[in-house]
Amino acid sequence: MMKKFPVLLVGSTLFLAMLFLFIASPGGAMAKNPTVFPDVIPLPDGFRPEGVVIGRGSTIYAGSLADGAVYRANLRTGEGEVFISGQAGMLAVGLSYDGRSNNLFVAGGPGGDARVYDANSGALLASYPLATPGQSFINDAIVTREAVYFTNSFAPVYYRLPLDKNGRLPDVADVETIPLGGDFVQVSGFNSNGIEASADGRYLIIVNSSTGTLYRLEAGSSDAMAIDLGGDVVTSGDGLVRQGNTLYVVRNFLNQVAVVELSDDFTRGEIVETITSADFRIPTTADVFGASLYAVNARFDVQPPQPDTEYEIVRVSR
């Protein structure tokens, strides 16, 4: 027995060594695993994305300015597909997602509309005419417990679509148009853009892209209050993402994301950090997954857009 022990030890060690080499080798099991959470998720050439939102699990959606199509991808693998086909003359701008109903809300831009899709099948569930086509730009959306809200970059108003506790969609007649007053200032060019909400849905935050002002208002109210940033502004502010009291403001043409720490009542804020990336190419909107921020590159510097222009979603640490 004593003479056989070294043989067994050597045999066991040899077996473990061979197993390790198999797993680590190009043909082994470890090598077959796909890339996990890639830093760049490619979108179809010519897709022209603007809005992006994360749905259930690790699924992310991006909408197209070219034809209103929606692309769906897996954050873990980077693989995806167009699962809502586009139509000529249609746009998909800002997106928002309701986890209760698994509904995907899409702002229709110059079409003056908002659309709702089933986030699993891609079926169109409802369409809401919010404003006169060609005279408005329905830009972004945010879902709360009681409603989904949309901004209009061409008019000092926003829109409220009431939802019940299960996220059931309203009738067209129930949609509200709410004027923006108080401190809100409408100037030439793009105004109201990104929109966010407090966790309880009591407050909304809207950014004016042209003036760089952030506004807080009680949901459903017209009384917009300018958030005091201590003299700072967030010009080129586009999509907004809130996590607790931290607000991420995507600043498109500046290729950066401003990190704003807000007071508990959202009346004051301070820019505490600026996130940049060599992969940013005019990011417009973003969403959060774990410790990462996912921003979509709209490539507005490519004019006119070309069918072979490359677009992507970029992951950065936050």
Side-chain angles (χ1 to χ4, degrees):
M1 294 294 293
M2 292 293 292
K3 293 181 180 179
K4 291 182 180 179
F5 180 77
V7 175
L8 290 172
L9 177 62
V10 172
S12 300
T13 303
L14 180 61
F15 171 77
L16 291 174
M18 292 177 66
L19 178 62
F20 174 80
L21 288 174
F22 169 74
I23 293 175
S25 68
M30 185 179 296
K32 291 183 179 180
N33 288 338
T35 301
V36 177
F37 295 107
D39 292 333
V40 175
I41 298 174
L43 297 171
D45 289 355
F47 189 73
R48 295 178 57 197
E50 205 280 347
V52 69
V53 72
I54 294 171
R56 287 182 179 170
S58 57
T59 302
I60 191 166
Y61 302 90
S64 170
L65 296 176
D67 57 9
V70 177
Y71 188 85
R72 179 174 61 186
N74 188 322
L75 297 176
R76 295 179 182 275
T77 65
E79 298 177 354
E81 62 181 353
V82 174
F83 91 113
I84 297 177
S85 300
Q87 300 179 29
M90 185 177 287
L91 279 75
V93 194
L95 309 179
S96 194
Y97 174 77
D98 190 347
R100 299 168 300 181
S101 58
N102 199 36
N103 286 344
L104 183 68
F105 293 85
V106 178
D113 64 322
R115 302 185 298 278
V116 190
Y117 297 93
D118 183 300
N120 271 339
S121 68
L124 178 65
L125 303 177
S127 181
Y128 296 94
L130 303 181
T132 303
Q135 299 179 23
S136 57
F137 196 92
I138 310 304
N139 201 321
D140 211 346
I142 187 65
V143 171
T144 72
R145 296 176 185 175
E146 299 180 349
V148 55
Y149 298 90
F150 291 86
T151 58
N152 186 340
S153 296
F154 289 173
V157 299
Y158 67 105
Y159 307 93
R160 181 179 187 271
L161 279 64
L163 303 171
D164 70 9
K165 64 180 181 179
N166 297 315
R168 186 172 63 89
L169 298 175
D171 296 330
V172 173
D174 295 329
V175 176
E176 302 174 54
T177 300
I178 305 170
L180 278 172
D183 295 336
F184 189 83
V185 177
Q186 183 85 1
V187 297
S188 60
F190 265 56
N191 287 263
S192 297
N193 197 328
I195 184 170
E196 251 292 0
S198 58
D200 60 5
R202 177 182 177 183
Y203 296 119
L204 301 178
I205 301 174
I206 292 176
V207 64
N208 187 312
S209 292
S210 293
T211 66
T213 307
L214 290 169
Y215 295 94
R216 187 212 79 170
L217 60 157
E218 291 196 12
S221 166
S222 296
D223 189 15
M225 174 188 296
I227 297 175
D228 182 3
L229 295 182
D232 286 333
V233 292
V234 284
T235 47
S236 297
D238 204 321
L240 304 179
V241 186
R242 183 198 59 78
Q243 291 285 292
N245 282 20
T246 302
L247 184 72
Y248 299 92
V249 184
V250 182
R251 305 182 71 181
N252 48 38
F253 281 96
L254 299 181
N255 283 313
Q256 60 184 230
V257 178
V259 183
V260 180
E261 286 298 325
L262 296 168
S263 61
D264 289 340
D265 60 1
F266 292 1
T267 61
R268 303 180 311 280
E270 179 185 1
I271 299 176
V272 296
E273 185 183 354
T274 298
I275 298 174
T276 60
S277 170
D279 292 322
F280 281 169
R281 298 194 286 182
I282 319 294
T284 43
T285 58
D287 207 350
V288 165
F289 187 86
S292 298
L293 188 75
Y294 285 84
V296 64
N297 283 332
R299 302 291 307 277
F300 289 152
D301 54 330
V302 179
Q303 295 297 333
Q306 301 298 318
D308 60 351
T309 300
E310 296 178 348
Y311 296 95
E312 57 278 316
I313 298 169
V314 175
R315 181 174 72 93
V316 293
S317 297
R318 66 181 180 92

